Amino acid sequence: MTVGFASRAAVSSGALCTAGLLALAPAAATTGTGIDPGPPATAAPASLLYRHGTHVRPRPGAPEVPELSARSWLVADADTGAVLAAHDAHRGLPPASTLKTLFALTVLPVLPAGIRHRVSEEELAGIGPGSSLVGVAENRTYRVSDLWNGVFLNSGNDAVRVLAALSGGWRATARRMEEQARALGARDTRVKSPDGYDAPGQVSSAYDLAVFGRAGLRRPDFARYCARAAARFPDRDGGSYGIVNTNRLLTGADGVDPYRGLVGVKNGYTSHAGHTLVAAARRGGRTLVATVMNPRSGGGLAVYEEARALLDWGFGAAGRVDPVGSLDALRPRPPGGPEAEPAAAGPGRLGDRPGRAASWTIAGAALLGGAGVAVFLRLRWGPVPKG
């Protein structure tokens, strides 16, 4: 069953949404609520999440999907990948700093956390005006783990710049991020600026961001960073200062009630993207991931309340809805047989973790510090342009 919410859109949009839903649904009687009572066990069409509008397939007794103002949203079971409900899931929109989830998935596997690196002035060049910063300073030495705290908690574009420089350069990192996205089955994402800063042509989708959030939770290091509420960050004088996660569902800042069971993931904001959020929570043995992109009403905190409503609905709908899609639907299937290798095994491709040989080589390079890792990456992926 598919539910369309035509009353929330203009008449023309509602007509298009209704037409699309009728084309997808089997012939059957329709109630006055807009619910098509098709057989609940029928698999959702593969194209459903590409159709405009809100999609949900409720069984009897399912709670009503909340009314949201976001341009695009999705809620899924992070364990099975089943998409429980979505609105314009594949609509291309600027992701803001939620794109840092893909950056982390791409770079975390190749930079050991204990590396210490002295930051150069060149590595901090090109940061966009108005960027969120954690306070990385040139000629100061940082551990890679410090920089990741700056990325996940403070959304520091300065920390992203340094990590990208260590992992091969700005444009090379953007290219590998897109390769990583394709390997995960996220085909809507185009990366121009790895930190999520607005750039022409840079887009992602609620579907892709949910894929990234789910993949990140499967990495223990990613999961630790994104769930961390506060940390200490090195200052210019050899001391440190406190930083707090800007994800208000996690910290309860600015009057937002913390969400019970929240385990991350990442929020973002730019003037072009508006507010964006990937949020994951665990209750009763189930983990849900929700994406909310650009709420159009309710102010700057609406993204948190709309994510809260989606997560509440998802936990309440357990066993009462049929999936409208899967976060695994577009993931490439590796060839069968003993010759099959994880994505990380090929040149320029990153999977969930580096290949065995690469792991040993990176570990050796780590003994030489950030410069050693940078040399290894250049050997591994070939010459990389500066960016």
Side-chain angles (χ1 to χ4, degrees), residues 265-354:
V265 182
K266 187 74 186 74
N267 58 310
Y269 172 80
T270 67
S271 56
H272 183 49
H275 291 273
T276 59
L277 177 65
V278 183
R282 187 173 296 121
R283 290 184 185 175
R286 297 182 69 228
T287 302
L288 300 182
V289 59
T291 306
V292 177
M293 302 187 75
N294 195 3
R296 288 163 288 175
S297 64
L301 302 180
V303 71
Y304 300 104
E305 298 310 325
E306 296 198 3
R308 182 194 309 279
L310 273 183
L311 292 169
D312 282 347
W313 177 84
F315 285 118
R320 300 178 182 179
V321 295
D322 290 317
V324 294
S326 171
L327 297 181
D328 291 318
L330 305 179
R331 189 173 185 132
R333 295 184 180 276
E339 75 280 6
E341 294 288 344
R349 301 187 71 88
L350 294 172
D352 288 342
R353 51 184 60 85

Side-chain angles (χ1 to χ4, degrees), residues 215-256:
L217 293 176
R218 294 179 170 184
R219 288 192 58 91
D221 47 4
F222 185 112
R224 284 194 305 270
Y225 286 122
C226 77
R228 189 166 287 162
R232 304 292 298 179
F233 194 81
D235 65 18
R236 294 173 180 265
D237 302 320
S240 66
Y241 53 89
I243 57 175
V244 178
N245 201 313
T246 56
N247 182 350
R248 293 160 179 81
L249 276 187
L250 181 65
T251 63
D254 299 326
V256 176

